[in-house]
Amino acid sequence: MLASEAVTPPPPHPSHKPAGTKHDNAPVDPYTYHDGFGNHFSSEALRGALPVGQNTPQVCPYGLYAEQLSGTAFTVGRCGNQRSWLYRIHPSVMHRPFEPYNAGGHGIVGTFDSRTTETTPTQIRWLPFPIAEGLDFVDSLRTIGGAGDTALKSGLAVHVFTAERSMDRRAFCNSDGDLLIVPQQGRLDITTEFGMIMAAPNEIAVIQRGMRFSVALPDGPSRGYILEVYDGHFELPDLGPIGSNGLANPRDFKTPVARYENTESGAAEWSVINKYQGELFVAQQDHSPFDVVAWHGNYAPYKYDLAKFNVIGSVSFDHVDPSVFTVLTCKSAHPGTAVADFVIFPPRFEVQMNTFRPPYFHRNCMSEFMGLIRGEYEAKKGGFLPGGASLHSMMTPHGPDASTVVNATTRELKPGRVADGTQAFMFESMFQLRLTKWAVEHKQRDLDYYKAWQNIPITFNPDQI
């Protein structure tokens, strides 16, 4: 039995549609959500399922069990403390022992050292990763690279998924960190303990540490990218002199409403696959793990539509730093420096005068992993394709390709649009990323990537300013 309760808001007036939102013929999200980022939400699929005035009464309404899910230590200050109370039919502890899952056969890495990964400062690009025949979301996961160690709760990882089929009576849980999921091809219909999320290309979904979820593929095969952080949680970047509005606005984040499955004990076996210290384990149980009838708290999954990003940019001269395109950040202990930033390059106006408008040539003290959801990236219109990726490692030179340079230095500068129909993104990190053997040796690695810069015209003339 499925049950949910939520008030469906009226459709927005056409004049309220912000520029750059999805086309009218895009599939409609069938689910309803709570609005806001980091809020304390209360959600019931059955009226009265939440206890009144306390978290753990002797007997919960409807005979449910109370269970706390902690996203931070108990003693973290109130401004950063994250936890939720779940009221469920079965306590989640009702499963059989975990056993190794696909031992040695999965493609996930959780410790990035010389035994498990390789390293190179060379600029790397991958053509689109092919769909993995017959595999679901979990089994298709492959680690491209990362840094640190899950056991030390330090570092991050970058993964891709290339799923062909939906998960069937299977749930996934990550004990190692938070997952920021970027679908590139096909929607993800995500069942979580907190409710349902539909994540389409040009949207993201964030599933935090310890939350169980399952992924169905309503559009068939699906491909995308995942940024995993081992310490801390994603938050909105500080706006500084921008003010109190702009970039990703809190009201545009969507958190699911309570919805539950009540399955008869013993009717069907469920598999709960747990990623723990970079390894996969599986436990069997005789009921659905998605039997949470009500919940309240501020530790919950969410999604965000990238088309709602309020772009900030230069309206005078020069190409501003890409940090102004940051959607979410996972801060480090060093102020102003991130374990990971999620940055996008959305459709926008460009009006800078007497300016080299593409992204400038750069050597960075951060690592930059880029992916393309759709369209053509403004600095490399060619081999950088949707479903592919690139990595520019710490202090490795990078920048626009030769044809972009020629166009940018010779065209007449007029106010205009850039990146319409395009969405590129970047995972940027303070860590130096090591690559898995799978990524280094992948047949889709573009070994000719370096040629993108070889024909940049050299125009130096010491006799002419």
Side-chain angles (χ1 to χ4, degrees):
M1 180 181 77
L2 298 177
S4 65
E5 178 179 308
V7 177
T8 302
H13 189 277
S15 64
H16 296 168
K17 185 177 181 181
T21 52
K22 291 181 289 186
H23 298 294
D24 292 334
N25 59 358
V28 175
D29 188 334
Y31 305 127
T32 54
Y33 303 88
H34 300 290
D35 295 336
F37 186 88
N39 298 8
H40 189 292
F41 298 109
S42 294
S43 191
E44 297 178 324
L46 291 178
R47 193 176 300 275
L50 285 174
V52 176
Q54 64 179 121
N55 294 320
T56 57
Q58 184 178 18
V59 178
C60 294
Y62 297 103
L64 300 171
Y65 288 96
E67 179 176 286
Q68 184 173 205
L69 179 62
S70 294
T72 56
F74 294 141
T75 51
V76 167
R78 283 207 174 199
C79 64
N81 201 296
Q82 297 188 36
R83 62 91 175 93
S84 285
W85 281 96
L86 313 180
Y87 298 90
R88 55 194 318 146
I89 299 171
H90 301 81
S92 61
V93 73
M94 294 181 66
H95 61 79
R96 293 187 282 282
F98 281 103
E99 299 178 353
Y101 176 81
N102 199 15
H106 64 76
I108 297 174
V109 172
T111 301
F112 296 89
D113 56 28
S114 58
R115 298 170 300 167
T116 59
T117 53
E118 302 179 22
T119 187
T120 175
T122 295
Q123 304 95 337
I124 296 180
R125 182 165 69 188
W126 294 270
L127 301 175
F129 296 98
I131 297 296
E133 184 176 351
L135 301 186
D136 65 14
F137 176 85
V138 173
D139 289 342
S140 73
L141 284 173
R142 295 293 183 271
T143 303
I144 290 180
D149 190 329
T150 58
L152 301 178
K153 295 181 71 175
S154 176
L156 79 163
V158 175
H159 315 280
V160 293
F161 64 90
T162 54
E164 187 182 54
R165 63 183 179 87
S166 300
M167 296 172 65
D168 182 19
R169 292 194 299 276
R170 285 155 56 93
F172 184 56
C173 178
N174 182 23
S175 296
D176 293 335
D178 290 6
L179 302 176
L180 189 155
I181 303 170
V182 186
Q184 181 272 320
Q185 173 185 319
R187 291 174 298 163
L188 303 180
D189 191 355
I190 307 173
T191 302
T192 79
E193 295 175 278
F194 295 79
M196 305 295 297
I197 294 176
M198 184 69 75
N202 213 44
E203 296 181 328
I204 60 170
V206 175
I207 313 290
Q208 289 103 313
R209 185 194 305 266
M211 298 176 183
R212 295 177 176 183
F213 67 99
S214 184
V215 178
L217 309 179
D219 302 327
S222 181
R223 173 175 57 203
Y225 315 83
I226 298 176
L227 171 60
E228 179 182 11
V229 292
Y230 299 152
D231 185 18
H233 300 291
F234 290 104
E235 56 188 272
L236 295 173
D238 296 326
L239 295 181
I242 291 175
S244 55
N245 302 286
L247 307 187
N249 289 309
R251 65 177 297 191
D252 294 323
F253 288 80
K254 306 291 185 181
T255 293
V257 299
R259 177 185 173 103
Y260 69 93
E261 297 178 358
N262 183 13
T263 55
E264 296 291 335
S265 296
E269 286 287 300
W270 277 78
S271 299
V272 178
I273 302 167
N274 187 21
K275 186 168 86 70
Y276 182 79
Q277 294 191 28
E279 298 293 339
L280 297 184
F281 300 84
V282 62
Q284 304 297 326
Q285 60 186 52
D286 64 359
H287 58 276
S288 170
F290 306 114
D291 63 357
V292 177
V293 179
W295 63 270
H296 74 84
N298 63 350
Y299 190 55
Y302 54 88
K303 79 166 193 171
Y304 175 72
D305 183 351
L306 302 181
K308 295 183 178 179
F309 187 80
N310 183 208
V311 181
I312 304 294
S314 172
V315 293
S316 56
F317 59 88
D318 283 353
H319 184 99
V320 296
D321 294 335
S323 50
V324 298
F325 300 128
T326 301
V327 179
L328 292 170
T329 184
C330 178
K331 295 179 179 178
S332 74
H334 306 284
T337 305
V339 171
D341 287 327
F342 174 62
V343 180
I344 63 173
F345 304 97
R348 61 197 183 275
F349 283 94
E350 59 174 7
V351 299
Q352 312 98 303
M353 301 309 294
N354 192 30
T355 293
F356 185 81
R357 287 180 174 177
Y360 44 71
F361 293 103
H362 194 204
R363 287 181 293 166
N364 197 354
C365 63
M366 308 281 278
S367 299
E368 301 181 11
F369 175 91
M370 286 193 64
L372 185 60
I373 298 172
R374 63 188 184 190
E376 292 183 319
Y377 177 50
E378 60 201 90
K380 294 183 181 69
K381 297 181 179 180
F384 188 48
L385 302 174
S390 68
L391 175 64
H392 299 144
S393 296
M394 190 174 295
M395 291 304 175
T396 293
H398 55 278
D401 61 17
S403 61
T404 302
V405 171
V406 171
N407 178 265
T409 54
T410 58
R411 70 186 175 107
E412 182 181 1
L413 294 182
K414 295 181 179 180
R417 297 281 299 172
V418 63
D420 282 331
T422 292
Q423 189 65 267
F425 70 88
M426 178 168 66
F427 300 154
E428 186 177 56
S429 174
M430 61 180 278
F431 290 104
Q432 293 181 315
L433 304 189
R434 298 182 64 92
L435 296 173
T436 62
K437 183 177 180 180
W438 178 86
V440 171
E441 299 179 357
H442 201 287
K443 65 180 181 179
Q444 295 297 90
R445 180 176 172 182
D446 182 1
L447 298 178
D448 292 330
Y449 183 33
Y450 73 96
K451 295 179 180 179
W453 298 284
Q454 299 310 304
N455 293 323
I456 294 174
I458 305 304
T459 59
F460 173 70
N461 183 344
D463 298 321
Q464 181 178 346
I465 297 178

